[in-house]
């Protein structure tokens, strides 16, 4: 019996049907999953990606004004754009103020109270006396029992100087008995570890700044829309929403910069704040 044209032959055996997906053991399945994930992540590592920060004022200041421009500066979006810029300016003011008071602490308050830069004071205390850098800011030789932080050392110096002022005739006795010690590092390697931890804490901020700079560099200067409403091409909208449990928001801004401008690679996620072409007419 011949099949009419336009219809495929009914498979009579497993060989006649479509090829089955390969089956893997649990161990092989983990290897395949790791290989696919690593190939994708290494592409990120090698080529980088552009994204808009979603949890900072910088991302809002970049995206919201562009979306407002895309929709013709509606009243609501214009207000949101103005608010984004106000928060950005406020952020700059607060950060500038904090930097100024930190500079005041380092350049004014520390010299006023006589605190010198720590540098490597006391770093070689284990080999003292008899080695370089064994003399502290007080003019005496470092030893472990006489090593203090600046607050303790300055307080002890104040007590010694006060006693000398009260009993000037016993200055030599006070100097020998009321020993303030020396100011220096209490643990050199602890400071190195603390610096490392601090650098690890700020590396995320550095990466965010680098990512924002990359985004601004690669963004095209064309007058195009930053937001779109894209309808699915494979099914009517309502049925597609039921199949994937979508809401209307899932259809907003689903096309990335890569699709419109050929900028690659981008973070492969559905983004609300992304360049996209005009939706296909329905």
């Amino acid at each position: 019996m011949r099949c009419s044209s336009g219809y495929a032959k009914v498979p009579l055996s497993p060989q006649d049907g479509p090829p089955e997906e390969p089956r893997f053991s649990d161990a092989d399945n983990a290897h395949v999953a790791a290989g696919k994930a690593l190939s994708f992540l290494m592409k990120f590592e090698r080529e980088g990606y552009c994204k808009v920060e979603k949890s900072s004022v910088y991302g809002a200041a970049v995206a919201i004004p562009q979306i407002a421009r895309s929709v013709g500066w509606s009243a609501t979006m214009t207000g949101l754009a103005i608010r984004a810029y106000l928060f950005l300016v406020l952020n700059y003011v607060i950060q500038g103020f904090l930097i100024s008071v930190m500079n005041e602490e380092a350049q004014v308050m520390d010299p006023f109270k006589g605190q010198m830069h720590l540098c490597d004071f006391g770093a070689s205390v284990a080999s003292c006396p008899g080695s370089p850098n064994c003399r502290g800011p007080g003019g005496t030789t470092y030893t472990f029992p006489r090593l203090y932080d600046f607050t303790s050392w300055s307080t002890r110096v104040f007590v010694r100087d006060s006693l000398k002022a009260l009993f000037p005739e016993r200055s030599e006795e006070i100097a020998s008995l009321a020993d303030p010690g020396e100011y220096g590092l209490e643990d050199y390697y602890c400071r190195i570890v603390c610096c490392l931890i601090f650098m690890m804490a700020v590396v995320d901020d550095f990466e965010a700044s680098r990512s924002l700079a990359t985004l601004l560099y690669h963004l095209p200067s064309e007058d195009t829309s930053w937001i779109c409403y894209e309808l699915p091409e494979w099914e009517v909208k309502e049925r597609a929403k039921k199949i994937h449990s979508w809401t209307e928001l899932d259809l907003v801004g689903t096309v990335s910069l890569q699709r419109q401008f050929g900028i690659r690679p981008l973070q492969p996620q559905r983004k609300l704040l992304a360049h996209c072409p005009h939706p296909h007419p329905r």
Side-chain angles (χ1 to χ4, degrees):
M1 178 178 179
R2 297 178 59 86
C3 297
S4 60
S5 60
Y7 291 89
K9 180 181 178 181
V10 177
L12 302 178
S13 64
Q15 290 77 13
D16 295 333
E20 295 184 357
E21 292 292 333
R23 300 291 181 178
F24 305 104
S25 64
D26 291 342
D28 291 339
N29 186 282
H31 294 164
V32 172
K36 292 184 178 296
L38 285 175
S39 64
F40 190 78
L41 295 175
M42 291 306 295
K43 185 177 181 181
F44 273 10
E45 184 77 16
R46 182 175 62 255
E47 301 182 8
Y49 59 94
C50 298
K51 67 177 181 179
V52 175
E53 289 187 80
K54 296 182 288 185
S55 58
S56 75
V57 294
Y58 304 110
V62 170
I64 292 181
Q66 295 297 332
I67 296 176
R69 175 190 57 79
S70 301
V71 300
W73 298 104
S74 65
T76 301
M77 291 305 304
T78 301
L80 291 176
I82 294 174
R83 187 177 69 174
Y85 279 132
L86 287 177
F87 286 158
L88 181 65
V89 172
L90 179 62
N91 172 70
Y92 285 147
V93 170
I94 293 176
Q95 291 195 37
F97 171 74
L98 293 177
I99 292 174
S100 67
V101 295
M102 290 172 61
N103 180 71
E104 181 182 1
E105 173 73 15
Q107 302 297 329
V108 179
M109 302 307 296
D110 286 350
F112 181 75
K113 64 184 178 182
Q115 182 175 2
M116 63 293 297
H117 293 292
L118 181 58
C119 300
D120 284 343
F121 285 144
S124 57
V125 63
S127 57
C128 294
S131 65
N133 303 320
C134 283
R135 188 173 297 276
T140 60
T141 302
Y142 280 114
T143 58
F144 278 112
R146 302 177 60 251
L147 191 61
Y148 299 98
D149 61 274
F150 181 78
T151 302
S152 301
W153 178 71
S154 61
T155 302
R156 294 169 68 91
V157 170
F158 171 76
V159 172
R160 183 198 62 184
D161 293 343
S162 299
L163 291 174
K164 285 184 177 182
L166 290 172
F167 308 103
E169 69 281 359
R170 305 179 63 180
S171 295
E172 294 183 2
E173 183 180 0
I174 292 172
S176 61
L177 296 178
D179 180 20
E182 283 293 350
Y183 164 56
L185 285 167
E186 297 183 78
D187 193 310
Y188 182 78
Y189 298 102
C190 179
R191 181 173 73 166
I192 294 177
V193 173
C194 290
C195 291
L196 176 62
I197 293 174
F198 173 77
M199 292 174 61
M200 293 172 62
V202 301
V203 71
D204 288 339
D205 290 336
F206 172 77
E207 178 61 26
S209 300
R210 189 192 66 82
S211 178
L212 179 60
T214 303
L215 174 67
L216 295 177
Y217 176 79
H218 286 287
L219 277 179
S221 57
E222 301 176 16
D223 184 16
T224 54
S225 176
W226 275 52
I227 191 170
C228 66
Y229 182 76
E230 188 178 37
L231 297 173
E233 300 178 357
W234 52 274
E235 184 58 89
V236 295
K237 182 182 73 171
E238 295 302 326
R239 180 170 173 77
K241 288 169 62 177
K242 290 180 180 180
I243 293 174
H244 292 283
S245 300
W246 285 348
T247 64
E248 288 294 324
L249 188 60
D250 291 301
L251 302 176
V252 176
T254 59
V255 181
S256 67
L257 284 162
Q258 185 176 6
R259 175 169 173 178
Q260 185 176 5
F261 297 102
I263 297 175
R264 67 180 185 88
L266 284 173
Q267 194 174 19
Q269 296 177 354
R270 301 170 64 87
K271 292 180 176 295
L272 173 62
L273 308 180
H275 277 278
C276 48
H278 295 293
H280 299 284
R282 289 289 183 183

